[in-house]
Amino acid sequence: MPNAPAFPRRYDLDWLRIIAFGLLILYHSGMFYVTWGWHVKSVHAGPEAEWAMMLLNPWRLALLFFISGVALRFAADKLGGSKLARERVVRLGLPILFGMAVVVAPQSWLQLVESGEFSGSFLAFWPQYLDFGSDFSITTPTWNHLWYIVYLLVYTLMLAPFAGRIARFMGGTGAQITKRLFGGKWGPAAALVLPVLPHILYRITLDPYFKTTHDLTWDWANHAHSLTLLMIGFLLAKDVHFWSAIRRVLPFAVGLMVGLGAGLSVLWENWEMLSEGGDWDWIIWPARIARLAYAWITIAALLGLAERYLNRPSRALTYMTEAIFPWYILHQTLTVMLGYWLTRQDLPVGIEAPLVIGGTFAGCALLHELAIRRVGFLRPLFGLKPASASPVSRKASAAATV
């Protein structure tokens, strides 16, 4: 009989990736209803849901970058650095180009229509959108929510030439280091504390000077946070000592996640008063550091919960592992288009919001099921392998994409 794999497939991380993308879709639907700036806004926009958005915001994309790092490690060990780079240029590059040219364009159109900067149809707007010389107040063409894929592709190409060396290091000297860090009595504490430290450094040295822009070339604080999380995932993807520490720390991590979330929610609710009143200056930086700790502790808690309860295959997992990436590419455009139309129908928020959210998920599901997965030339434009690939290989490759 064949030997069992040295490190078994992580169905829990496949599920967690799907859940993270699902929460991202909900988050972007929520952006239509909060007071923060976004492409288009509901007539019902207000602060009511902002507390939930703020609880999601610190870790929603951090979790995805960590899981992407784990997926890259599995893919690099299987394919090698050179083949990995070539494959990802196609698997991620085509969705970026198609997404910028076609999928994202309606978002920019409706944003400019709502602001009064453009009044024509989409067909009249599209050639101007594709013209790099257009002088709109927003960048066109743009990648909007697809910035995550752009950054992931860049990080992958940076990492690929060194992937083999890093993997060999983590199988030898690196494993000895992680055994000392995570294998002993204080291993669970180290698993919660050590990954936070570089982010505290970035918060002090980079964040005040480089606001998040998603423009790739001047987004250094965001790069530092995102690339670090991806590298942590890549380094520790197959480290038994780290995953053992995550299992051991699970109850404490869940409790700490809940406690920090509740405490930070109170601070965020009163943030304007605290930041403007001189008597409360002492709490500002501890709160910022607590937010960073909350982000990683939540990730650690979710990793532990997923490993305990979700580490098993299923038909739903097989299907959604492939479907979720096209859903991610489609979702924000659907939210913007649905929201723009529905909020002009004089509906109460109790009807409008479920229609926007439900319509976004339903549109993603229908477009994937009826068109993307069945039409050969559409599959690579949404990051999927050709339909000729076997179901098993499609499942494995889709999971490794991000």
Side-chain angles (χ1 to χ4, degrees), residues 327-340:
W327 285 32
Y328 165 72
I329 294 171
L330 293 167
H331 81 276
Q332 186 162 293
T333 295
L334 293 175
T335 298
V336 168
M337 295 176 69
L338 282 167
Y340 180 88

Side-chain angles (χ1 to χ4, degrees), residues 216-232:
L216 186 65
T217 60
W218 197 252
D219 205 15
W220 300 113
N222 190 17
H223 281 312
H225 290 291
S226 301
L227 182 56
T228 296
L229 285 159
L230 182 137
M231 286 303 305
I232 291 173

Side-chain angles (χ1 to χ4, degrees), residues 28-341:
H28 285 152
S29 298
M31 286 296 294
F32 185 57
Y33 288 100
V34 294
T35 59
W36 313 329
W38 204 53
H39 308 289
V40 296
K41 303 298 293 186
S42 171
V43 296
H44 302 294
E48 292 78 12
E50 289 178 0
W51 66 272
M53 303 281 283
M54 295 182 77
L55 284 174
L56 278 175
N57 197 43
W59 56 267
R60 58 191 177 89
L61 280 162
L63 175 61
L64 279 174
F65 275 112
F66 176 87
I67 295 175
S68 295
V70 174
L72 279 176
R73 174 67 179 279
F74 277 83
D77 287 355
K78 177 182 178 181
L79 301 175
S82 298
K83 188 174 180 180
L84 173 68
R86 292 194 301 270
E87 182 190 67
R88 293 311 155 87
V89 166
V90 176
R91 296 286 303 282
L92 299 179
L94 286 178
I96 290 168
L97 294 176
F98 179 73
M100 290 179 64
V102 178
V103 178
V104 171
Q107 299 179 33
S108 298
W109 169 54
L110 291 177
Q111 180 176 348
L112 292 171
V113 169
E114 183 165 284
S115 68
E117 192 173 338
F118 189 84
S119 58
S121 67
F122 176 72
L123 291 179
F125 169 76
W126 196 31
Q128 298 180 55
Y129 168 85
L130 295 175
D131 181 2
F132 284 91
S134 296
D135 58 354
F136 294 121
S137 61
I138 60 175
T139 301
T140 58
T142 184
W143 46 61
N144 279 2
H145 68 291
L146 302 182
W147 71 268
Y148 161 74
I149 311 177
V150 176
Y151 284 29
L152 181 58
L153 176 58
V154 172
Y155 298 162
T156 300
L157 296 178
M158 292 169 55
L159 179 60
F162 310 100
R165 297 178 185 177
I166 295 173
R168 289 191 293 273
F169 172 80
M170 291 307 301
T173 304
Q176 297 174 15
I177 295 173
T178 58
K179 182 178 180 179
R180 293 184 179 182
L181 292 175
F182 305 122
K185 176 182 178 181
W186 296 101
L192 291 186
V193 173
L194 292 181
V196 181
L197 298 182
H199 297 286
I200 295 175
L201 177 64
Y202 306 149
R203 184 64 183 86
I204 296 170
T205 60
L206 292 176
D207 286 13
Y209 308 104
F210 299 99
K211 294 186 180 300
T212 298
T213 62
H214 299 154
D215 69 357
L216 186 65
T217 60
W218 197 252
D219 205 15
W220 300 113
N222 190 17
H223 281 312
H225 290 291
S226 301
L227 182 56
T228 296
L229 285 159
L230 182 137
M231 286 303 305
I232 291 173
F234 189 89
L235 290 168
L236 300 178
K238 298 184 177 183
D239 187 81
V240 295
H241 310 296
F242 170 75
W243 291 106
S244 174
I246 290 294
R247 286 190 291 272
R248 288 188 288 157
V249 83
L250 177 58
F252 182 72
V254 171
L256 199 54
M257 173 186 70
V258 173
L260 280 172
L264 286 169
S265 293
V266 174
L267 290 177
W268 291 332
E269 181 70 22
N270 299 280
W271 192 254
E272 186 174 346
M273 181 270 291
L274 295 175
S275 58
E276 292 179 356
D279 294 341
W280 293 96
D281 286 349
W282 61 272
I283 206 171
I284 299 299
W285 272 103
R288 288 169 175 166
I289 293 172
R291 183 182 186 274
L292 297 172
Y294 163 73
W296 173 253
I297 289 168
T298 299
I299 291 172
L302 293 174
L303 291 174
L305 289 170
E307 186 177 25
R308 178 173 294 186
Y309 298 109
L310 298 178
N311 197 13
R312 58 183 64 88
S314 71
R315 293 178 65 183
L317 176 61
T318 301
Y319 182 84
M320 286 305 302
T321 295
E322 180 185 74
I324 197 62
F325 195 47
W327 285 32
Y328 165 72
I329 294 171
L330 293 167
H331 81 276
Q332 186 162 293
T333 295
L334 293 175
T335 298
V336 168
M337 295 176 69
L338 282 167
Y340 180 88
W341 183 77

